[in-house]
Amino acid sequence: MKHTIRQVFRSGKFVVGFSIFMGILLIVTFYPLIIRDAPLKIIGQGTFFAPGIYVNVYDSMGSPHYTILLDDAAAKRIADKLDDDDRQAIKEWLVAAGISEDAIEIENTESLLDLWVNNFDPTTRIPGMTNADRNYYIRLNTALDGLLSTEGAIVASVNPETGALEEKGVIRQTDYVNVNQVPNVRVLPLGTDNFGRDVLTELVQATAVSLRIGIVAGLIATFIGLVLGLVSGYIGGLVDDVIMFITNLFIVIPSFVLLILISFSIGQEQRGAFTIAVVIGFTSWVWTARAVRSQVISLRNRDHVNLSKLSGHSIAHIIAFDILPYIASYVVMALILQISSGILAEAGLSILGLGPRTTDVPTLGLMMNWAMIYQAHILGKWWAYFPVIIVIALIAFSMNLMNTGLDQVFNPALRD
Amino acid sequence: MGNAVLEVNELTTKYITRFGENIYAVDHVSLKVEEGKSLGIAGESGCGKSTLALSLMGYYFPPLYYTSGQIIIDGQNISGMDPDEVRKAILGKEIAYIPQSAMNALNPTQRIINFIEDVIEAHKPYATKKEIYDQAKSLFEVLGLPAEVLNKYPVELSGGMKQRTVIAISVILSPQILIADEPSSALDVTSQKMVIKMLRNLMDSGLIKSMIFITHELPLLYNVTDDIMVMYAGQIVEKAGAHEMVFTPIHPYSQGLMGSIMVPESGLRDKKLTAIPGVPPNLKNPPSGCRFAERCKYVMPECRVTSIPLRDAGGGRAYRCILPKEFLMEAYERERGER
Amino acid sequence: MKGYRNYFANKLIWFGITLVAAFVLNFFLPRLMPGNPVAAIVARLAQGMSNTAGVQAIYEQYAKLFGTDKTMLEQFFLYVRNVFRGDFGYSFSQYPRTVADVIRASIWWTIFLQFPAIIVGWVLGNTLGAMAAYRKGGFDKVLLPVSIFVSSLPAFGMAVILLVIFGVTLKWLPTSGGYGYDLIPNLSWSFIWSVIVHYQLPFWSIVLITIGGQAIGMRSMAIYELNADYVKYSRFMGIKDGKIVRYVFRNAMLPQVTGLALAVGTMVGGALVAEIIFSYPGLGSTILTAVLGQDYPLISATTLIVTIMVLIANFVIEIIYGFLDPRIKAAQAD
C-alpha cells in the first residue's frame, strides 16, 4: 500500500493534477475563514461592476488630503475623457459643420477644444447623421465641459435649518488621498455579477458547492456501480444477465436525457444542491458497473480466489479480501472521473435552467447560467463567466491528470 | 568442428529509459552456434536473456540500442549494416525469431495467409499471391498443420495451434538459425511437448541449420539443446555442454538454478520452492565487482572489488567466478549428498 | 455472410429493446414523481395568473392530453399511438404551435450541426492521437497535456471562449443564431452564406471538444497496440515499419469506433448545451425554451427525439463496426 502510494506520487502527471486540486481545496476551505461576507449578498446597485479597488468617495473627502504635483496629471485627466476616437469624431463633426480640415489639429487639445466650444451647437443638423450619433455628440459635449479648467471643485452640504448650501471645503486638482486612510475601500478582484454580488466570494462558495455535488454524485455513482459490478461479475448467471441488460440499456440511453426528465419532474422548489447531486449519481453509474464487472470476471477464477473459496470463506469475505483489493485502483480512478463528470453534469443542467434552486447557494453551473442569461459574454463582462469556466476546467483538468497518472502507474504498457 | 552459423563477439546493447538512464541488459556477450547444433540460454526472469534474444537479431528499435560488438551470421557481419538492409536481407531469411508469447504474436485482425503474404513480400516483392499460397500450404503440410489454418484469423485457433503456426511462419523463408524465446512457457504440457517436438523436427529435417532456445526451465534445455549458457545480470556466468551443465554446474548461480529445479528424484515441486534468495541487482548501477556477490553463499570481500572475467574451465567450459572450479564442484556434490 | 447476418440481427433486436425502454422511461419517469403531474404543471403555469377560468382551461387541456382519468397502462398506449402518428400535442410555451412543429423546425439544425462535428472531431482526434503515440517525443509531450486540458473544458466553456474570441473581440463571425436575424429562410445565396457563417463557431467548438477526448483515447490504444507482441514479431519477420503502423492503427481504431458508439450520447448532451450558448436554433435551444416556459409536452418530446437520434447513431456505428472488425464475423459464425 505504502509502496503503491509512493509510486503514484512519482508520476509527474498525478502530482501536477493533485497539486492543482489541493490548491483549489485549500482556497475553498480558507477563503471563507478570512473573507466572512455572505456569498450571495447583493452589494452593488447595478450590474457587472468591473474588477478593481472601489474607494468610497464620501470618505475620501473627509480623509487627509495631500498635495502631489505630477506633470502628467492634467494630460491623463484629459485623455480619460477625450480619447483618440473622440478626437476623430470631433474632427468629423467640425469638418461636416464647414470648418476647413487644415485648421483642425487633432493632437493639439487646446486648439481642438477651442474650436469645439466655439462651433458646437446641438441644434445644427448634419446631413446623414443618425440620432445615436447626435446623442453621442451631446454627451461628449457635456463631458468636455470644463475639462481644461484648472480650478478645483467646491464641496458643499445642505444646512438642515436654512436649506442653504454651505461650503465645506475645496478639492483641488492636485489633491490626493491615501487609500489606506480611507475607511471604506472594497477590493473586488473579479468585480460584481449581474445582481451586484462579489464574483470572487460567490465563485469560491460556488466551487465548494460544486465540489460537494461532484463528490456526492461521484460517491453514489461509484457505490452503485461497484456493487452492481461486483454482484454481476462474481455471481454471474441470471443475476449477471439481468444487471448487464439494465446497464447496457442505460449506456445507450443518454444519461443527460434522464437527468433533464428527472430534474424537471422534481420541480424547482424541491431541487436543492444535494438533490441534484443524488440525481446525477443515480444516472451515471453505468460505466463503473461495466468496468468493475469485467475486472471481477478476470479475477474470479484466479488461484487465490479459488483457494479462498476452497477454504470455505463466505462470498462477502472473498469479495472484501480477495477481489476488492485488486480492483481498488480501478475504483479510485472511476471515482475521480465520476466526480469531475458530476461537476460538469451539474453545470450543464444549470445552463438549461434545471440546476439547484437559486435562492440559497451558488454553484458553478448557476453562475454560468446567470452570466449567460445576462449576456455577459456578449457585453464583454469577462469576469462574470471566464473565471467560472477556468475553475471548472481546472477541476476537471486536475482530475483527468490524476487519472492519467494513475493509469500510467497501474497499466505499465502506457508508461513510456 | 562444423562451421559457425552464428558467431557473436563481445555484444553489448542497452536500454535507454525515459529518464535518459542507460541500462546495459546485454554486457559483452560472446557465443557461437555451429551448424546442426543448438544452444540453450537459461536464467531467471530479468537476467537479460530475452534482451539477448532481441539483440541477436541485429535490428534495434527504441528503447533498445546497439552499443558495441559483432554479430556474424554465415560469415557476414550484420552489426554494422544499414537497418533497412538487415530487415530485407537478414530478418526471417537468415535469422528468425519466435516471440515469448506466441499467443499474441499474430495480428488479430488479419488472416494467417495475409500475414504470410506480407512477410514474403517484404523480402521478395515480385512473388504472386498464388505462389505464396502454394509455398505456405506445402510448408504447413510438411509440418503437419492443416492448410485451412491459412484462411483463418488468429482468434479462431487454439493456443497450441497458434504457437505452431507462428513457428511455421518463422521458418517459411528457411532461415539459418532460429531464436526461440520461451516458446512454450504459456502452453499446457501436451502443447509444450508438441512444440518441442516440432522444433527438433525443424533441425532434423534441415529446415533450419541451428537454433537458440531461451528458457527459465532448465529440464527443457537438457532435452532440447546441445549446449547451455547461463546468464545473470546481463552477463554470461557459465557455458558448458548440456549434460555437464545439468550434472556438474560450476558457478554458484548455475548451482542455485539447478538446485532449485533439477532434483527429480526427491520431488520436483518441493524443490522449486527453494529458489535462490534475493533478487538480481538493479542494472542502472550494476555492482563494480561480481554481480552475483549479494546472493552468493561463498562471497568474499575481494569479490566486490573488481569485475570478474569469464575463466576457461577446460573441455569447452567457462565460468565467471574467482573460486577454483574444483572447490565449487565439490561443495555442490557435498550439498546434494546432504539432501 | 452468415456471421454478419447474425451480428446484424443481434444488433437490430437490441436496438428494438432499447427503443422500447426509452419510450417507457420517457413516459413513466415524470409520472413516477410524487403528486399529480397535471396539477403540478398547472400550479407552476398558474403562478402569476389571476384568471381562474384560464387556469381551469389549461388544467382541462392537460388532463385531456395526459388522459389522467384513464389507467396508467391505457395512458401509455395512448402515448405510444400518438407518438407514432407524430402527435405530441400542443406546445404550451409556443401555443398554438404543435410540439411536432417546434421540433420539426429545430431538429435539422441539430442533426446537421452535431453529427458532422462529432465525426470531424473523431477523425481529427484519432489522427492526432495516433501521431502522438507513434512519433512520441516533443509532439506527444505537448499534445497530451493540451488534449487533457481541452477535453476537461466543458462543451459550453469551449463555446463561450470561441464566441468571445472570434465573435465578440475579433468580430470575425456572428455570435448567435443559425442565420442572420434580418433574413427569411430561403434558398438565396445570401441566406446560405449566412447559415454557413453562423455554423462555424458552434461547429468548431464541438469539434475541438471531441478532438481532445478522442486524441487521448487513441493515443492510449495505439501505445498499447505498439507494444503488442505482434508488432515485435512482425518487425523481426522483416516487415516494413509502414505496414506495421497500418496494422497497429487499424487495430487501435476498432475500440475507438465502439467507444464512439458508447460516447455519442454524452457528446450530444454536451453539444446541446453548446447550442444554447450560441442561441443556435436546434434542439438544445428548444429544450432551454421548454424548460424556461415550463413546457412539459415539449420537453418530453425533445428528450425522446434526442434519445432516438442517439440510438440510431449508435446502431449505425455498430453496424459499420461489424464490417470493420473481421473478428465479429468469426465470433458470430460459431
Side-chain angles (χ1 to χ4, degrees), chain B residues 8-16 21-29 51 54-56 58-61 63-71 77-80 234:
Chain B
V8 172
N9 295 323
E10 303 285 319
L11 180 66
T12 302
T13 60
K14 64 180 178 186
Y15 286 111
I16 300 182
E21 301 147 322
N22 290 337
I23 296 178
Y24 293 92
V26 172
D27 198 351
H28 295 91
V29 169
T51 311
L54 302 181
S55 305
L56 291 177
Y59 189 60
Y60 305 93
F61 34 88
L64 183 64
Y65 296 87
Y66 168 80
T67 307
S68 63
Q70 287 178 309
I71 302 169
N77 183 0
I78 65 164
S79 44

Coordinates of all heavy atoms in Angstrom, one line a residue, chain B residues 8-16 21-29 51 54-56 58-61 63-71 77-80 234:
Chain B
V8 N 29.0 -14.5 -32.2 CA 28.7 -13.2 -31.5 C 29.9 -12.9 -30.7 O 30.4 -13.7 -29.9 CB 27.5 -13.3 -30.7 CG1 27.3 -12.0 -29.9 CG2 26.2 -13.5 -31.5
N9 N 30.5 -11.7 -30.9 CA 31.7 -11.3 -30.2 C 31.4 -10.0 -29.4 O 31.1 -9.0 -29.9 CB 32.9 -11.0 -31.1 CG 33.3 -12.2 -31.9 OD1 33.3 -13.3 -31.3 ND2 33.6 -12.1 -33.1
E10 N 31.5 -10.2 -28.0 CA 31.5 -9.1 -27.1 C 30.3 -8.1 -27.4 O 30.4 -6.9 -27.4 CB 32.8 -8.2 -27.2 CG 34.1 -9.0 -26.9 CD 34.2 -9.3 -25.4 OE1 34.0 -8.4 -24.6 OE2 34.6 -10.5 -25.1
L11 N 29.2 -8.7 -27.6 CA 28.0 -7.9 -28.0 C 27.5 -7.2 -26.7 O 27.3 -7.8 -25.7 CB 26.9 -8.8 -28.5 CG 25.6 -8.0 -28.9 CD1 25.8 -7.1 -30.1 CD2 24.5 -9.0 -29.3
T12 N 27.3 -5.9 -26.8 CA 26.7 -5.1 -25.7 C 25.6 -4.2 -26.3 O 25.7 -3.6 -27.3 CB 27.8 -4.1 -25.1 OG1 28.9 -4.9 -24.7 CG2 27.2 -3.3 -24.0
T13 N 24.4 -4.3 -25.6 CA 23.3 -3.5 -26.0 C 22.7 -2.9 -24.7 O 22.9 -3.4 -23.6 CB 22.2 -4.3 -26.7 OG1 21.7 -5.3 -25.9 CG2 22.7 -4.9 -28.0
K14 N 22.0 -1.8 -24.9 CA 21.5 -1.1 -23.7 C 20.0 -0.6 -24.0 O 19.6 -0.4 -25.1 CB 22.4 0.1 -23.4 CG 22.3 1.2 -24.5 CD 23.2 2.3 -24.1 CE 23.2 3.4 -25.3 NZ 24.1 4.4 -25.1
Y15 N 19.3 -0.5 -22.9 CA 18.0 0.2 -22.9 C 18.3 1.6 -22.5 O 19.1 1.9 -21.5 CB 17.1 -0.4 -21.9 CG 16.5 -1.7 -22.4 CD1 16.9 -2.9 -21.7 CD2 15.6 -1.8 -23.5 CE1 16.4 -4.1 -22.1 CE2 15.1 -3.0 -23.9 CZ 15.5 -4.2 -23.2 OH 15.0 -5.4 -23.6
I16 N 17.6 2.6 -23.1 CA 17.6 4.0 -22.6 C 16.2 4.2 -22.0 O 15.3 4.2 -22.8 CB 18.0 5.0 -23.7 CG1 19.4 4.6 -24.2 CG2 18.0 6.4 -23.1 CD1 19.9 5.5 -25.3
E21 N 18.4 7.2 -18.6 CA 19.5 6.3 -18.0 C 19.8 5.2 -18.9 O 18.9 4.7 -19.6 CB 18.9 5.8 -16.6 CG 18.6 6.8 -15.6 CD 17.4 6.4 -14.8 OE1 16.5 5.7 -15.3 OE2 17.4 6.7 -13.6
N22 N 21.0 4.8 -18.9 CA 21.4 3.6 -19.7 C 21.4 2.3 -18.8 O 21.9 2.3 -17.7 CB 22.9 3.8 -20.2 CG 22.9 4.9 -21.2 OD1 22.0 5.2 -21.9 ND2 24.1 5.4 -21.4
I23 N 20.7 1.3 -19.4 CA 20.7 0.0 -18.7 C 21.3 -1.0 -19.7 O 20.8 -1.3 -20.7 CB 19.3 -0.4 -18.4 CG1 18.7 0.6 -17.3 CG2 19.2 -1.8 -17.8 CD1 17.3 0.4 -17.0
Y24 N 22.5 -1.5 -19.3 CA 23.2 -2.5 -20.1 C 22.7 -3.8 -19.8 O 23.1 -4.5 -18.9 CB 24.7 -2.4 -19.9 CG 25.2 -1.1 -20.4 CD1 25.4 0.0 -19.6 CD2 25.5 -0.9 -21.8 CE1 25.8 1.3 -20.1 CE2 26.0 0.3 -22.3 CZ 26.1 1.4 -21.4 OH 26.5 2.6 -21.9
A25 N 21.7 -4.3 -20.6 CA 21.0 -5.5 -20.3 C 21.7 -6.7 -20.9 O 21.5 -7.8 -20.6 CB 19.6 -5.5 -20.7
V26 N 22.6 -6.4 -21.9 CA 23.4 -7.4 -22.5 C 24.8 -6.8 -22.5 O 25.1 -5.8 -23.1 CB 23.0 -7.7 -24.0 CG1 24.1 -8.6 -24.6 CG2 21.7 -8.4 -24.0
D27 N 25.7 -7.5 -21.7 CA 27.0 -6.9 -21.4 C 28.2 -7.8 -21.9 O 28.5 -8.8 -21.3 CB 27.1 -6.7 -19.9 CG 28.1 -5.7 -19.5 OD1 28.9 -5.3 -20.4 OD2 28.2 -5.3 -18.3
H28 N 28.8 -7.4 -23.0 CA 29.9 -8.2 -23.6 C 29.7 -9.7 -23.6 O 30.4 -10.4 -23.0 CB 31.2 -7.9 -22.8 CG 31.6 -6.4 -22.9 ND1 31.2 -5.5 -22.0 CD2 32.4 -5.8 -23.8 CE1 31.7 -4.3 -22.4 NE2 32.4 -4.5 -23.5
V29 N 28.7 -10.0 -24.4 CA 28.3 -11.4 -24.5 C 28.9 -12.0 -25.8 O 28.8 -11.4 -26.8 CB 26.8 -11.6 -24.5 CG1 26.4 -13.0 -24.9 CG2 26.2 -11.3 -23.2
T51 N 16.4 -10.0 -23.7 CA 17.0 -8.9 -24.3 C 18.1 -9.5 -25.3 O 18.3 -8.9 -26.4 CB 17.6 -8.0 -23.3 OG1 16.6 -7.7 -22.3 CG2 18.1 -6.7 -24.0
L54 N 16.6 -10.5 -28.4 CA 16.3 -9.4 -29.3 C 17.5 -8.8 -29.9 O 17.6 -8.4 -31.1 CB 15.6 -8.2 -28.5 CG 14.3 -8.6 -27.7 CD1 13.8 -7.3 -27.0 CD2 13.2 -9.1 -28.7
S55 N 18.6 -8.7 -29.1 CA 19.9 -8.1 -29.5 C 20.5 -8.9 -30.7 O 21.1 -8.4 -31.6 CB 20.8 -8.0 -28.4 OG 20.3 -7.3 -27.3
L56 N 20.3 -10.3 -30.6 CA 20.9 -11.1 -31.6 C 20.4 -10.9 -33.0 O 21.0 -11.2 -34.0 CB 20.7 -12.6 -31.2 CG 21.5 -13.1 -30.0 CD1 21.2 -14.5 -29.7 CD2 23.0 -12.9 -30.2
G58 N 20.1 -8.2 -34.5 CA 20.8 -7.1 -35.2 C 19.9 -6.0 -35.7 O 20.3 -5.2 -36.6
Y59 N 18.7 -5.9 -35.2 CA 17.7 -4.9 -35.7 C 17.1 -4.3 -34.5 O 16.3 -4.9 -33.7 CB 16.6 -5.7 -36.5 CG 15.7 -4.8 -37.3 CD1 16.1 -3.9 -38.2 CD2 14.3 -4.9 -37.1 CE1 15.2 -3.1 -39.0 CE2 13.4 -4.1 -37.8 CZ 13.9 -3.2 -38.7 OH 13.0 -2.5 -39.4
Y60 N 17.4 -3.1 -34.2 CA 17.1 -2.5 -32.9 C 16.1 -1.4 -33.1 O 16.1 -0.6 -34.0 CB 18.4 -1.9 -32.3 CG 19.5 -2.9 -32.2 CD1 20.4 -3.1 -33.2 CD2 19.5 -3.8 -31.1 CE1 21.4 -4.0 -33.1 CE2 20.5 -4.8 -31.0 CZ 21.4 -4.9 -32.0 OH 22.3 -5.9 -31.9
F61 N 15.2 -1.3 -32.1 CA 14.3 -0.2 -32.1 C 14.1 0.3 -30.6 O 14.3 -0.6 -29.7 CB 12.9 -0.4 -32.7 CG 12.4 -1.8 -32.6 CD1 11.7 -2.2 -31.5 CD2 12.8 -2.8 -33.6 CE1 11.2 -3.5 -31.4 CE2 12.3 -4.1 -33.4 CZ 11.5 -4.4 -32.3
P63 N 13.1 1.1 -26.9 CA 14.2 1.7 -26.2 C 15.5 0.9 -26.2 O 16.4 1.2 -25.5 CB 13.6 1.7 -24.7 CG 12.7 0.6 -24.6 CD 12.2 0.4 -26.0
L64 N 15.6 -0.1 -27.1 CA 16.8 -0.9 -27.1 C 17.8 -0.4 -28.1 O 17.4 -0.1 -29.3 CB 16.5 -2.4 -27.4 CG 17.6 -3.4 -27.4 CD1 18.3 -3.5 -26.1 CD2 17.2 -4.8 -27.9
Y65 N 19.1 -0.2 -27.8 CA 20.1 0.3 -28.7 C 21.3 -0.5 -28.7 O 21.7 -1.1 -27.7 CB 20.5 1.8 -28.3 CG 19.3 2.7 -28.3 CD1 18.4 2.9 -27.3 CD2 19.1 3.5 -29.5 CE1 17.4 3.8 -27.3 CE2 18.0 4.4 -29.6 CZ 17.2 4.5 -28.5 OH 16.1 5.4 -28.6
Y66 N 21.9 -0.6 -29.9 CA 23.2 -1.3 -30.1 C 24.3 -0.4 -29.5 O 24.4 0.8 -29.7 CB 23.4 -1.6 -31.5 CG 24.7 -2.0 -31.9 CD1 25.1 -3.4 -31.8 CD2 25.7 -1.2 -32.5 CE1 26.3 -3.8 -32.1 CE2 26.9 -1.6 -32.9 CZ 27.3 -2.9 -32.7 OH 28.5 -3.4 -33.0
T67 N 25.3 -1.0 -28.8 CA 26.4 -0.3 -28.3 C 27.7 -0.7 -29.0 O 28.4 0.1 -29.6 CB 26.5 -0.4 -26.8 OG1 25.3 -0.1 -26.2 CG2 27.6 0.5 -26.2
S68 N 28.0 -2.0 -28.8 CA 29.3 -2.4 -29.4 C 29.3 -4.0 -29.6 O 28.4 -4.6 -29.1 CB 30.5 -2.1 -28.6 OG 30.4 -2.7 -27.3
G69 N 30.3 -4.5 -30.3 CA 30.4 -5.9 -30.6 C 29.9 -6.3 -32.0 O 29.5 -5.5 -32.8
Q70 N 30.1 -7.6 -32.3 CA 29.8 -8.1 -33.6 C 28.8 -9.2 -33.6 O 28.8 -10.0 -32.7 CB 31.1 -8.7 -34.2 CG 32.1 -7.6 -34.6 CD 33.4 -8.3 -35.1 OE1 33.9 -9.2 -34.5 NE2 33.8 -7.9 -36.4
I71 N 28.0 -9.3 -34.6 CA 27.1 -10.4 -34.8 C 27.4 -10.9 -36.2 O 27.3 -10.2 -37.2 CB 25.6 -10.0 -34.8 CG1 25.3 -9.4 -33.4 CG2 24.7 -11.3 -35.0 CD1 23.9 -8.7 -33.3
N77 N 29.1 -10.0 -41.2 CA 28.9 -9.2 -40.0 C 27.7 -8.3 -40.2 O 27.7 -7.4 -41.0 CB 30.2 -8.4 -39.8 CG 30.1 -7.6 -38.5 OD1 29.0 -7.6 -37.8 ND2 31.1 -6.8 -38.2
I78 N 26.7 -8.5 -39.4 CA 25.4 -7.7 -39.6 C 25.4 -6.5 -38.7 O 24.5 -5.7 -38.8 CB 24.2 -8.6 -39.5 CG1 24.0 -9.1 -38.1 CG2 24.2 -9.7 -40.5 CD1 22.6 -9.6 -37.8
S79 N 26.3 -6.5 -37.7 CA 26.1 -5.4 -36.7 C 26.4 -4.0 -37.3 O 26.0 -3.0 -36.7 CB 27.0 -5.7 -35.5 OG 28.2 -6.1 -35.8
G80 N 27.2 -4.0 -38.4 CA 27.5 -2.6 -38.9 C 26.5 -2.3 -40.1 O 26.6 -1.2 -40.7
G234 N 22.8 -9.7 -17.2 CA 23.3 -9.2 -18.5 C 24.6 -9.9 -18.9 O 25.1 -9.6 -20.0

